[in-house]
Amino acid sequence: MRHYVGGAFDASGDPFPLVDPVHGRTVGEVPSAPAALVDRAVRAAREALRGPWGSWSPADRARMLHRVADGIERRSREFVAAECADTGKPRELASTVDVPRAVANFRAYADLLAGRAERSWHTATRDGRGALNYTVRKPLGVVAVISPWNLPLLLLTWKVAPALAVGNTVVAKPSELTPGTACLLAEVMADCGLPAGVFNLVHGPGPGAAGQWLTEHPEVDAIAFTGESGTGSTIMRAAAARLAPVSFELGGKNAGLVFADADLDRAVAGTVRSAFTHSGQVCLCTERLYVERPVFDAFAGRLADAARRLDGYGPMISAAHRDKVLGHLTGAAADGKVLAGGGVPVFGDDRDGGFFVEPTVLSGLPEDHPAVREEIFGPVVHLAPFDTEEEALALANAGPYGLAATVWTGDLARAHRVAPALDVGIAWVNTWNLRDLRTPFGGVKASGIGREGGEHSLDFFSEPMNVCVKL
Ligand code: NAD
Ligand code: 6OD
């Protein structure tokens, strides 16, 4: 595990342990970047803006992004292995979602560059000669990309690819819990011949370490961050000091609505995915499900059966996170009903040292209960009944977050009425987490600031400038 700064690998800094969440064992060490190295990374990124990279055309950059995508594809088995080792997620998930999505992130932004048109206007003037106005888009400069542990490669590349596409240079800091695929990405960047300093990587925790130093660095021009809402507030304060723009993808407490007219087979299967994929450690996972009363008991029974039958699921990322999830389950068991799961599974093998939590279905808790109001980020969903469409919307829209929601209905008019009335950035109807990389992605309220995806990312990572030429 090494940093990558100014085109050179570097292992300086005090090491911290890397723990395998499947077995709970320490399996390696990662160096925590000293402040001087973080500073060097930012300066290398600044220097690279002035180098050849600054004069690369969009077509040159698009070719480089495709080369990086090819490089990830060529080493996809290593990427899958590293992602599974760090997160404990099932191999199936890493090989069908995380790694192919990293490839797609680079290809999508490379292809979008080709279709970008700048606008120009001919402006009338009193002397009749007119003026030509046109817009040029410039990179922001040095961008800090700070990413979480749940989808380490997917979420890192989701920001690095568009930032590079429009000509920025990047200093990336992955989660200290999951540095493996970021290290491989740095190797791919080096092998592709990306100019030194264009992509830099530093490891370490956030507070009092690489994360904080990066966000406070006066030479960092913008910050793209994915993580907890509270961390977003801290980073925003750091950015505010120098008015640096931020793009934030933050926490959630996503609601699902199941109407009695829904195809219940589809709704149950879809909810199993939306609640339990990656053991609930996807920001888009459903943690609150509201079910129309006539089908509530049938739906709850079927979802609980499906949750009990799930196997092959992965662990929580750490002992601390497992304990936080179990704390919620203890509170929920005392105040409501546990329909499935609720504890720690016993495998009878060395996974018993890992950080697993059973897929859990709860019900009967009041809406202001911490397990219904706070983000758990584990394999836990709470079910509550509703009687009217208005009530369903009011329940879904309550609370501080607004990232994503699902609507399960067989009534097309209802789908189009309800989905846009949800206070979220993304609403799925009769599906979950079906992604088209050109669509806007992000949250409202405490779930984020700004939109990423397609043109939205290219817009965030660049600044339009007006040039007016008197003719
Ligand atoms: P986190 O906020 O603890 O950490 C995220 C990153 O920020 C890590 O790299 C961490 O080292 C760094 N960091 C922490 N404190 C920092 C500080 N003071 N200054 C600078 N950097 C700092 O989040 P996490 O636990 O890694 O991830 C889980 C959270 O992320 C959940 O809340 C989840 O909902 C959210 N998330 C949101 C999205 C989205 O798209 N909206 C996607 C994935 C995860
Ligand atoms: O699919 C994406 O683009 C994306 N940003 C997913 C985020 C998932 C959160 O855990």
Side-chain angles (χ1 to χ4, degrees):
M1 301 286 174
R2 292 175 299 173
H3 317 284
Y4 181 61
V5 171
F9 289 94
D10 183 307
S12 57
D14 292 337
F16 59 91
L18 194 58
V19 176
D20 155 23
V22 175
H23 307 103
R25 292 191 286 254
T26 297
V27 289
E29 285 182 337
V30 190
S32 185
L37 188 71
V38 173
D39 182 57
R40 201 141 62 69
V42 175
R43 289 184 193 289
R46 170 74 54 209
E47 192 56 34
L49 282 171
R50 293 191 276 260
W53 176 248
S55 57
W56 281 30
S57 68
D60 294 335
R61 294 196 300 264
R63 263 192 298 278
M64 175 54 77
L65 295 194
H66 276 300
R67 219 177 294 154
V68 173
D70 293 341
I72 297 173
E73 251 170 355
R74 250 194 313 276
R75 298 181 64 179
S76 64
R77 289 160 76 103
E78 287 170 81
F79 275 95
V80 168
E83 202 72 320
C84 293
D86 276 354
T87 60
K89 66 177 61 176
R91 216 190 136 70
E92 159 78 7
L93 202 56
S95 57
T96 59
V97 177
D98 299 72
V99 176
R101 242 313 283 283
V103 172
N105 284 342
F106 282 101
R107 297 214 190 285
Y109 288 106
D111 293 344
L112 271 171
L113 279 185
R116 285 216 113 193
E118 300 294 9
R119 301 189 66 182
S120 64
W121 297 270
H122 188 270
T123 310
T125 56
R126 282 204 192 121
D127 62 8
R129 288 164 62 189
L132 176 67
N133 276 284
Y134 61 92
T135 306
V136 286
R137 279 216 160 253
K138 293 174 153 183
L140 296 174
V142 177
V143 175
V145 172
I146 301 182
S147 51
W149 47 260
N150 65 324
L151 304 170
L153 182 67
L154 189 161
L155 291 174
L156 180 71
T157 53
W158 174 240
K159 296 178 191 303
V160 168
L164 295 183
V166 288
N168 297 283
T169 57
V170 169
V171 182
K173 195 209 81 65
S175 167
E176 60 277 25
L177 301 176
T178 54
T181 43
C183 293
L184 288 175
L185 184 65
E187 289 179 19
V188 167
M189 298 278 189
D191 290 346
C192 286
L194 191 72
V198 173
F199 175 80
N200 305 274
L201 172 67
V202 291
H203 296 292
Q212 183 184 334
W213 298 329
L214 208 45
T215 60
E216 291 175 352
H217 200 293
E219 294 281 327
V220 167
D221 297 304
I223 302 169
F225 167 73
T226 300
E228 283 188 11
S229 302
T231 312
S233 296
T234 305
I235 292 178
M236 199 166 180
R237 276 192 290 275
R242 59 186 190 286
L243 301 172
V246 295
S247 176
F248 282 171
E249 295 185 348
L250 307 176
K253 186 72 185 177
N254 307 308
L257 300 179
V258 179
F259 288 92
D261 57 28
D263 174 336
L264 284 199
D265 290 340
R266 239 172 121 184
V268 170
T271 304
V272 168
R273 276 187 68 230
S274 78
F276 301 128
T277 294
H278 192 19
S279 293
Q281 298 169 115
V282 178
C283 60
L284 306 163
C285 279
T286 307
E287 294 197 5
R288 304 179 287 146
L289 196 72
Y290 301 101
V291 185
E292 202 167 0
R293 201 175 298 273
V295 295
F296 182 85
D297 288 340
F299 186 92
R302 290 176 63 178
L303 184 67
D305 282 347
R308 274 185 229 106
R309 282 198 306 272
L310 274 179
D311 60 8
Y313 54 86
M316 302 296 91
I317 190 67
S318 64
H321 187 50
R322 182 222 23 219
D323 293 347
K324 178 193 140 183
V325 175
L326 291 178
H328 275 294
L329 297 189
T330 306
D335 302 330
K337 285 187 267 184
V338 179
L339 304 182
V344 171
V346 176
F347 297 109
D349 55 35
D350 58 0
R351 284 174 297 169
D352 289 340
F355 310 136
F356 291 84
V357 174
E358 290 174 323
T360 297
V361 182
L362 306 171
S363 79
L365 293 170
E367 286 298 301
D368 61 356
H369 194 278
V372 181
R373 204 179 152 76
E374 295 170 15
E375 180 182 52
I376 297 178
F377 219 54
V380 183
V381 60
H382 177 261
L383 307 188
F386 70 83
D387 291 301
T388 64
E389 200 175 291
E390 294 68 32
E391 184 193 3
L393 273 170
L395 287 164
N397 286 341
Y401 295 108
L403 184 56
T406 54
V407 181
W408 301 92
T409 179
D411 178 339
L412 191 61
R414 189 201 297 281
H416 286 296
R417 218 168 32 237
V418 169
L422 288 159
D423 289 340
V424 292
I426 308 139
W428 280 289
V429 177
N430 295 330
T431 187
W432 174 75
N433 204 5
L434 201 167
R435 296 278 294 112
D436 180 319
L437 305 191
R438 295 165 297 189
T439 59
F441 185 97
V444 302
K445 301 196 278 184
S447 288
I449 295 181
R451 290 293 174 272
E452 296 185 3
E455 294 289 335
H456 304 276
S457 292
L458 299 181
D459 283 349
F460 171 74
F461 286 112
S462 63
E463 202 129 49
M465 177 194 172
N466 170 237
V467 178
C468 177
V469 183
K470 181 77 200 301
L471 301 176

